[in-house]
Amino acid sequence: MKAKKKALTSEIANSIEAKLSEAGDQSKKVKKAIDKAAKKLAEKIIKTLKKEEKKKQKESDTSSKKEGKKGKKFSVKAKKSPEMNAQAAPVAEPTDA
């Protein structure tokens, strides 16, 4: 995670510095401010990505649980009523040829 954060920070800082270098020279204060802002932005981006990842994981877990419950519910109903069994698996009748 630290490596990802550092890479993202340097990428952001380099991008900003490249755009500002077109306007003229930069002082040490400006470079320091850019690095600080890039670090904060990288932290926020990583935090947001983690939240999205957790949300997707949670959604996939709940959807798989729901499907499991539906399958279990159907199998219980199938055991209770023979009509449902006949509808669920129709048997092909042999044809006289």
Side-chain angles (χ1 to χ4, degrees), residues 1 10-11 16-17 23 25 32 39 41-42 44 51 53 56 62-63 66 69 74 77 87 90:
M1 175 164 140
S10 64
E11 189 177 324
I16 294 171
E17 287 175 2
D25 291 336
K32 190 174 181 180
K39 186 177 179 181
L41 182 59
K44 287 183 180 183
K51 283 184 179 181
E53 209 172 277
K56 286 180 183 178
T62 56
S63 65
K66 285 182 182 179
K69 285 182 180 180
F74 180 74
K77 283 184 177 180
Q87 290 176 354

Side-chain angles (χ1 to χ4, degrees), residues 3-96:
K4 188 175 181 180
K5 183 177 169 183
K6 282 186 177 184
L8 188 59
T9 301
S10 64
E11 189 177 324
I12 292 169
N14 289 338
S15 177
I16 294 171
E17 287 175 2
K19 289 290 180 180
L20 290 177
S21 66
E22 295 172 3
D25 291 336
Q26 300 172 13
S27 67
K28 287 184 180 180
K29 284 185 178 182
V30 172
K31 288 183 180 183
K32 190 174 181 180
I34 290 171
D35 288 337
K36 188 176 180 181
K39 186 177 179 181
K40 284 184 178 181
L41 182 59
E43 287 175 0
K44 287 183 180 183
I45 290 171
I46 290 173
K47 186 177 179 181
T48 304
L49 291 174
K50 279 187 178 181
K51 283 184 179 181
E52 288 178 4
E53 209 172 277
K54 284 183 181 180
K55 189 176 181 180
K56 286 180 183 178
Q57 181 68 30
K58 189 175 181 180
E59 286 176 359
S60 66
D61 289 347
T62 56
S63 65
S64 63
K65 285 181 183 178
K66 285 182 182 179
E67 288 179 14
K69 285 182 180 180
K70 285 182 182 179
K72 187 176 179 181
K73 186 177 180 180
F74 180 74
S75 64
V76 170
K77 283 184 177 180
K79 287 180 183 177
K80 287 183 179 179
S81 66
E83 292 174 5
M84 192 165 222
N85 285 336
Q87 290 176 354
V91 178
E93 295 179 14
T95 57
D96 294 331

